[in-house]
Amino acid sequence: MVPATGVNWERVMESVMDILITVAGIAGIILLWVILYDSNRFVIRKYKVTDRRIKKSCKAVLLTDLHNKCYGKNNEKLLAAIRGQKPDFILVAGDLVTAKPKASLETAIGLLENLAAQYPVYYGNGNHEHRLKLYPEVYGDMAGTYEAALKRIGITPLVNRHADLKEYGISIYGTEIDKRFYRHFRVDTMGPEYLQGMLGHAATEYYTVLLAHNPDYFPQYAAWGADLTLSGHVHGGVARVPFWGKGVLSPALRLFPKYDGGVFREGNAVMILSRGLGMHTIPMRAFNPAELWVIEWQK
């Protein structure tokens, strides 16, 4: 008899499918581990500024998009990391709270209470703080409660106004742009007169820092006169593509947004876009740990 030499393709396909199912299962387990790991940690990023207008070297920690997230009991891990950097002041670029009916405000208040006892805090609102004020019929007195708590601990948000830190040669502006600039799927037009109408002219004698939650308008912030824009909002794109490193989805539901996280430049102007500290709506991070930025100014 002549032995059969034909290939049993049915058995081959079964073997291939078994391998694919095993690989997919392993990949799923790895992805789940990455999500759990990245959703519960933060990394420290640093950026240095040297400018002739800086009169005295100083350091600040940037907080954004906490969304009531806790790192350890009463945010003790986050507080320890902040204190470990020995900042001269704290900068907030919005969304420490989450605009959700009856959501707790205590996480943000407790963190700020601890920080304000040690450092000056300069607070720029995000779209969630703004939303609380815009829709009292939805959120009740959450905006009033939060504002009263901030006032009690000595923080007055920079809502389209600024604070001059003459000792350092720095001027810090906070802008609260209209809700139309947070529309889904597209970036609305912001004319050159818009920021100037709210903030006036940028102080050229000082190094100008702008707390502007939405990074989509960085070219407009730079044109207005911001030397350094500090933003958040995008959460790093929720998940980032391994190796490529690009963020996947913005809160405006745009895929692979231009501004997703990191350092960006427009001429001489710089934007630090934090990937934030917390989550909301899509409560996960993948290949995208939270960030605590430290900015140092040198003479």
Side-chain angles (χ1 to χ4, degrees):
M1 296 179 64
V2 179
T5 57
V7 177
N8 189 334
W9 288 108
E10 184 177 350
R11 183 169 295 177
V12 170
M13 289 304 296
E14 287 178 356
S15 297
V16 170
M17 287 302 297
D18 288 343
I19 292 170
L20 290 176
I21 291 170
T22 301
V23 170
I26 293 171
I29 292 170
I30 292 172
L31 180 59
L32 179 61
W33 181 86
V34 168
I35 290 171
L36 291 173
Y37 182 54
D38 279 354
S39 298
N40 291 285
R41 71 184 180 110
F42 62 89
V43 296
I44 295 175
R45 312 279 190 204
K46 295 186 178 183
Y47 186 81
K48 284 189 177 183
V49 174
T50 302
D51 190 90
R52 60 179 177 77
R53 290 165 291 179
I54 301 301
K55 297 177 181 178
K56 180 181 177 182
S57 295
C58 58
K59 186 188 292 185
V61 166
L62 170 65
L63 306 176
T64 182
D65 298 282
L66 182 69
H67 289 294
N68 297 325
K69 176 73 174 177
C70 268
Y71 293 95
K73 185 178 180 181
N74 299 321
N75 261 318
E76 57 189 13
K77 292 181 180 179
L78 181 58
L79 285 165
I82 294 170
R83 290 167 182 148
Q85 296 302 315
K86 299 180 179 178
D88 295 287
F89 50 93
I90 307 296
L91 298 171
V92 177
D95 282 9
L96 294 196
V97 298
T98 298
K100 183 178 180 181
K102 299 182 180 180
S104 174
L105 303 169
E106 292 307 312
T107 299
I109 293 170
L111 177 66
L112 291 168
E113 198 165 25
N114 275 286
L115 292 174
Q118 291 183 265
Y119 315 103
V121 177
Y122 301 96
Y123 195 127
N125 281 349
N127 59 307
H128 279 252
E129 288 94 348
H130 192 199
R131 197 184 303 166
L132 293 180
K133 296 187 293 183
L134 288 177
Y135 304 108
E137 69 279 8
V138 176
Y139 303 110
D141 193 38
M142 289 178 68
T145 300
Y146 192 52
E147 289 177 1
L150 294 183
K151 184 177 180 180
R152 173 178 57 80
I153 60 182
I155 298 173
T156 303
L158 297 173
V159 179
N160 299 324
R161 61 186 194 88
H162 69 282
D164 293 332
L165 280 57
K166 296 181 180 180
E167 177 185 4
Y168 302 115
I170 295 172
S171 188
I172 301 172
Y173 286 75
T175 182
E176 185 177 79
I177 58 178
D178 190 77
K179 66 177 182 178
R180 67 186 173 92
F181 295 113
Y182 288 95
R183 287 175 178 167
H184 288 166
F185 307 114
R186 67 187 179 90
V187 177
D188 211 34
T189 301
M190 181 185 285
E193 74 289 342
Y194 182 79
L195 288 174
Q196 188 171 315
M198 292 195 304
L199 299 172
H201 294 283
T204 56
E205 69 272 26
Y206 295 123
Y207 184 89
T208 302
V209 177
L210 179 65
L211 302 173
H213 187 67
N214 189 343
D216 284 335
Y217 299 92
F218 175 44
Q220 288 85 344
Y221 305 148
W224 169 76
D227 296 302
L228 177 64
T229 297
L230 302 177
S231 294
H233 187 55
V234 184
H235 300 188
V238 182
R240 301 180 74 80
V241 181
F243 306 110
W244 184 25
K246 192 66 180 169
V248 174
L249 185 68
S250 78
L253 303 180
R254 295 195 307 274
L255 288 172
F256 307 112
K258 177 181 179 180
Y259 300 119
D260 56 352
V263 179
F264 299 87
R265 290 177 172 82
E266 282 278 337
N268 293 324
V270 174
M271 176 172 70
I272 294 177
L273 173 52
S274 172
R275 295 170 189 166
L277 286 161
M279 303 160 286
H280 76 94
T281 307
I282 303 175
M284 55 157 277
R285 289 176 176 267
F287 307 103
N288 179 37
E291 290 184 335
L292 186 70
W293 276 89
V294 181
I295 302 108
E296 187 174 351
W297 288 268
Q298 296 178 341
K299 293 194 294 184

